[in-house]
Structures are given as structure tokens and as C-alpha cells.
Amino acid sequence: CCLPVPVRKLSRERGRRYGKQICFRFGNGGALIKNKHLNKGSLTARSPKRYRMSRQANRGTESKRMNSELFTLTYGALVTQLCKDYENDEEVNKQLDKMGYNIGVRLIEDFLARSSVGRCHDFRETADVIAKVAFKMYLGITPSVTNWSPAGDEFSLILESNPLVDFVELPDNHNALVYSNLLCGVLRGALEMVQMSVDVRFAQDTLRGDNVTEIRMKFIKRIEENLPAGDD
């Protein structure tokens, strides 16, 4: 009943950096998913200063890549444990959404502080901020905003890549699992903290055989702040 996601091993170089070789196996079996090794460029004659700067930049890029991969594997372990704890995919989806919601209500403060984004005047502006600022800041991707409804209260985020599913394959017995449903909860929780009630769901998912990954967002209502009696 668990997710069979194959063994993921770090290269020797990155294994030494972690101090050991790290691998995860979700469930039993599963087809091998190819490693994404770092590209190794050839060294050319450079001045010592330039070489040091180049090495520092390379280390920074490599560190970000390793952090991203470690996050992906950690999230996979979380989903796997939920699949063990709950009997069906629908319940796992609910738990992922709940976890994401709790993250979103806390993450919004960090996002506003780091991005210096002001109040959005309409839902279209909100969509642009989510796609071009929030996703870029936390996941390193920029989804496209498309498929607006005639009323302008619903749109789609099309993800060309999803870092959460880099090393994942879903077995046939988990075809109802929305693996990245945590993202829906994060968006819902964060927007609720800025007085915006929305419905967020995965309309398409490449893990389930769709051509693209699509998150559908629908504006429900503006949440009025409950001010203490006597305050304007």
C-alpha cells in the first residue's frame, strides 16, 4: 500500500559532502529513476582570484541543488509515511492539504517580509504575485497563469516542472493520490491570512499521466476582518 519510489543515491562527490551515501526507498520495488549528476566543466587557466570566485559560485549553486534534492526526498518520505498511516488516498490527500494549510498561514509573514509585496488590488494581480514571486522564491520555478474564467474569478497555474516529483513514480494502486496536494493547502492558508478565501485543487498532474501539471484556483470571497468593538 506504500509508494514504490526507487532508490535515490547521491554521486560519490556529493556523498562525501554529506558524510555518507543517502538513499530512500518508498515501499517495495519500483523502476529505477535516473540520477541527475552535476555537470563537470573542464578547468582552464585563470587567475587565482577569478578561480576562487568561480569555485565559490559553483559551491553556492551546488549547495542549492543538493538542498532542493534533499527537500524532494524528505517530502517523499512524508507522503510515504502518510500512505502507511491511512487506509486510502482520499484521506492522505486531506492530510497533505491540512499540513500545507498550516504551513501557509505561517509562511505568509516570511513571504511578505522578504518580497516587500504590497496589497494586491484584484485577483489577477494576486495570480501574478503567486506565480512570479512566491513560486520563484520557494520552489525556484515560475508557473504560467492562464485559462481565466469569463468572470475573472478563476485561473490555472501551469507548472512546466514540479520539484516535488523529480524522483517519483506512482503505482497503479495509488491512482487517486494527489502527491503534491501540500501545495494546494499552502496557497489556501497563505491567502486566507490576507483575507482571501479560495478553492485550490490539482486539475491535472503529470504523475497521473496528464500532459501538464495544472493547479486550478477559484476566488470564493473576501474575508472581512473582525475588529474589536469600538474600532473603525
Side-chain angles (χ1 to χ4, degrees):
C1 64
C2 303
L3 280 177
V5 176
V7 174
R8 165 63 173 159
K9 292 184 177 180
L10 300 178
S11 64
R12 290 182 180 178
E13 180 181 351
R14 284 177 287 175
R16 286 196 296 270
R17 289 183 180 276
Y18 279 113
K20 61 181 181 179
Q21 205 172 40
I22 299 175
C23 61
F24 286 82
R25 185 185 296 275
F26 301 150
N28 298 317
L32 181 65
I33 294 180
K34 294 180 180 179
N35 269 342
K36 295 182 178 179
H37 295 293
L38 295 175
N39 294 325
K40 297 180 180 179
S42 59
L43 290 178
T44 56
R46 289 176 250 182
S47 68
K49 183 176 181 180
R50 279 189 176 182
Y51 181 63
R52 285 196 300 270
M53 292 175 64
S54 176
R55 289 181 61 189
Q56 290 172 356
N58 289 338
R59 280 199 298 267
T61 302
E62 183 178 336
S63 176
K64 289 180 180 179
R65 184 180 292 109
M66 287 190 294
N67 289 339
S68 175
E69 292 180 356
L70 187 59
F71 170 70
T72 299
L73 294 171
T74 302
Y75 181 74
L78 168 66
V79 178
T80 302
Q81 187 60 49
L82 288 175
C83 288
K84 294 178 181 179
D85 294 341
Y86 296 93
E87 295 181 355
N88 54 67
D89 291 343
E90 287 74 15
E91 187 59 35
V92 175
N93 295 339
K94 291 179 182 178
Q95 292 300 319
L96 288 172
D97 180 80
K98 183 179 179 180
M99 290 179 179
Y101 175 86
N102 290 332
I103 292 173
V105 298
R106 292 165 175 79
L107 193 65
I108 185 64
E109 185 175 348
D110 174 75
F111 171 74
L112 293 175
R114 293 174 59 188
S115 66
S116 301
V117 171
R119 180 178 292 274
C120 296
H121 297 92
D122 54 38
F123 201 43
R124 287 184 178 272
E125 188 175 346
T126 301
D128 287 338
V129 170
I130 291 172
K132 298 177 182 178
V133 184
F135 268 87
K136 182 68 174 178
M137 180 181 296
Y138 294 107
L139 291 180
I141 60 175
T142 305
S144 57
V145 180
T146 185
N147 297 335
W148 279 96
S149 65
D153 63 347
E154 191 172 1
F155 67 91
S156 293
L157 292 170
I158 305 297
L159 282 65
E160 294 185 2
S161 63
N162 180 0
L164 295 182
V165 303
D166 277 351
F167 317 117
V168 178
E169 285 184 350
L170 292 183
D172 294 336
N173 62 329
H174 282 287
N175 54 10
L177 177 66
V178 184
Y179 183 84
S180 303
N181 210 40
L182 184 96
L183 296 179
C184 295
V186 170
L187 292 170
R188 188 168 58 85
L191 289 176
E192 188 172 303
M193 291 298 99
V194 290
Q195 287 76 53
M196 191 176 294
S197 177
V198 296
D199 175 69
V200 190
R201 61 183 176 84
F202 272 87
Q204 298 186 77
D205 192 343
T206 54
L207 276 184
R208 293 186 289 178
D210 297 316
N211 294 327
V212 297
T213 296
E214 176 185 359
I215 299 177
R216 192 72 179 163
M217 295 188 63
K218 179 178 176 60
F219 175 81
I220 299 176
K221 65 177 181 178
R222 175 74 63 177
I223 302 174
E224 300 295 334
E225 292 187 81
N226 295 321
L227 297 176
D231 288 353
D232 293 328

